[in-house]
Amino acid sequence: MLNSKNSSGMGEVNLSDLFSVLWLQKWIVIGITCVVTLIGVAYVVLTQPIYEVKAFAIPPTQNDIASLNYGRVKDTELNPISVKDVYSVFLQNLRGETLRQSFISEVMMPALNEKNSDGGKDQTYAELSKRIVISQSPREIPDRYMVAIQGADPEQAAKWAEEYISRAGNLSKQEIIKDVSYEAEVRVRSLERQIAELRENGRKVREDTITKLREALRVAQAIGLEKPPIISGNPAVQIAGSLDGQLIYMRGTKALEAEIENLEKRESNDPFIRRLRDLESKQAFYSSIPLSLSNVKTYRMDGAVEPVSSPIKPKKFLIVVFSILFGSIIACGFVLVRHLIRTRFDHA
């Protein structure tokens, strides 16, 4: 019992001695704490603040993509394009590495006046790439995506965030218009081929008709038939009706010569070709599709992009508080270790 009490008393005496040492060396503790705190304050003052500006994009409306669905009905064999289809293309470009690389090299690097050396450029790209953050908003708004850009100038960061989304929208718009235009161009080429085939077929039909009429003319001249004969009786008897019949010469030389002359002087076979006008109408429709896509929008901005006033780093208050705490710990440790060493030397 006595031993335990003595040891307890010694512990209390030792603890009080430690506080006494710290109190006696309080100016050293305060001095070291102030030095460390000043270093932290200097770091806060000298370190360039970094601001983070956020911009939000949401899907376009049905009206924004209405031009894409111009004429996209079952009769035209074109599948309708939905808002989801358009927005998915936008998100692919927004999150893609191609846009990130071009934006850093064309916008951010020139603005920061970085060196053109290979090593410096690689290092700069890695650092700047970390300043661009693309993320999806919480579940409450699942289709909203955020573009956060960090920079030393909040106004510049705000412009960059808005421009980044705008570039993604332009890339997506160009890609969609290219796909839609190519789809229409393929159909235009197909219709052009069909129209050309119909016209070529019409030309051959006219040549064949002239050949048949010339042969019939020679027969009519051989028998001296100038005018078609008048036959009474059964009106159902067809003597000189169709070119497919065997009695074309019964039309007479005058009629055959006039028909041959008319066919030879015909400037165009188009009015006599079936389905030609329908194909030409479809061709004109598909040709006009690329001209109606200029007002397509692949996204909408959710709110305005405004510069922020508070930097995300350095955290000034936390750094100063941590400097004070860290300085106090170092100071107390220094004083206690110094006292322990002196005590040992005194007892030696």
Side-chain angles (χ1 to χ4, degrees), residues 218-231:
R218 286 194 293 269
V219 174
Q221 289 174 343
I223 64 176
L225 183 62
E226 183 176 351
K227 296 180 179 180
I230 300 176
I231 301 176

Side-chain angles (χ1 to χ4, degrees), residues 112-124:
L112 298 176
N113 296 322
E114 294 295 340
K115 296 181 180 180
N116 294 325
S117 61
D118 294 337
K121 182 176 292 186
D122 293 340
Q123 183 179 4
T124 302

Side-chain angles (χ1 to χ4, degrees), residues 269-285:
N269 297 318
D270 289 359
F272 305 92
I273 300 176
R274 294 180 180 180
R275 296 181 56 245
L276 178 63
R277 298 310 182 193
D278 292 338
L279 295 179
E280 287 180 337
S281 177
K282 290 183 178 180
Q283 181 189 15
F285 164 73

